[in-house]
Amino acid sequence: MIEVGPRDRVLHLGVGDGVATRDFARQASAGLVLGVDPSDDAVRLARRLSVDLDNVMFITGSPEEGVPWQEGFFSVVVCDAPAVDWTRAAQEIFRLAAPGARVYIMSPPPGAEPLFRSAGFDPVRLTGLRLEARKP
């Protein structure tokens, strides 16, 4: 279970139709949630299904290409997106994460732990099918 507090600023990478993103937005009722997906169609659908929430927005993109947002902003990062270049993705997630941010990578690739350590996260641990990390 990913815990999201009422004032968290959540970055959700790989949103699909936005079901989980909307759940994060409901939990972060006084915060903000940004959903990012490489598919324009997915982003359009997620936006259409989220009109009742005023603290969520969706954009097209990926962590490898860079997310157009200010550095060190997000207190929680959840990545459901498969990345081609995990080294670049880990660096971009580190750039976007605030100090103390909690990071969750769902179904990480083999060798993800050292990549996230190299990007600057500590601690980094694999729990089941999820990598959990924190930005110092």
Side-chain angles (χ1 to χ4, degrees), residues 11 13 62-69 71-72 74 77 86-97 119 121 135:
L11 172 61
L13 301 162
S62 75
E64 300 140 298
E65 297 170 359
V67 175
W69 208 268
E71 186 175 311
F74 296 100
V77 179
W86 275 101
T87 300
R88 174 70 186 117
Q91 293 167 347
E92 179 65 357
I93 291 168
F94 187 84
R95 183 187 75 77
L96 294 165
F121 291 100
K135 183 174 180 179

Side-chain angles (χ1 to χ4, degrees), residues 87-134:
T87 300
R88 174 70 186 117
Q91 293 167 347
E92 179 65 357
I93 291 168
F94 187 84
R95 183 187 75 77
L96 294 165
R102 302 173 316 277
V103 175
Y104 304 93
I105 310 299
M106 312 314 244
S107 301
E113 288 174 271
L115 290 176
F116 278 80
R117 279 192 192 94
S118 293
F121 291 100
D122 185 38
V124 177
R125 65 187 176 136
L126 195 59
T127 54
L129 296 176
R130 176 168 87 186
L131 181 139
E132 296 180 5
R134 208 173 259 278

Side-chain angles (χ1 to χ4, degrees), residues 3-121:
E3 293 183 31
V4 173
R7 297 190 184 284
D8 272 325
R9 296 174 313 276
V10 181
L11 172 61
H12 187 200
L13 301 162
V15 301
D17 65 4
V19 170
T21 314
R22 287 189 295 282
D23 187 43
F24 297 146
R26 288 182 193 97
Q27 292 175 60
S29 56
L32 173 76
V33 179
L34 175 65
V36 180
D37 198 280
S39 166
D40 288 328
D41 290 338
V43 167
R44 278 194 293 276
L45 176 60
R47 285 176 180 156
R48 210 169 32 248
L49 295 172
S50 303
V51 294
D52 60 329
L53 296 166
D54 61 0
N55 66 332
V56 65
M57 61 181 71
F58 296 92
I59 62 172
T60 303
S62 75
E64 300 140 298
E65 297 170 359
V67 175
W69 208 268
Q70 75 184 49
E71 186 175 311
F73 183 81
F74 296 100
S75 56
V76 177
V77 179
V78 179
C79 183
D80 284 312
V84 176
D85 181 350
W86 275 101
T87 300
R88 174 70 186 117
Q91 293 167 347
E92 179 65 357
I93 291 168
F94 187 84
R95 183 187 75 77
L96 294 165
R102 302 173 316 277
V103 175
Y104 304 93
I105 310 299
M106 312 314 244
S107 301
E113 288 174 271
L115 290 176
F116 278 80
R117 279 192 192 94
S118 293
F121 291 100

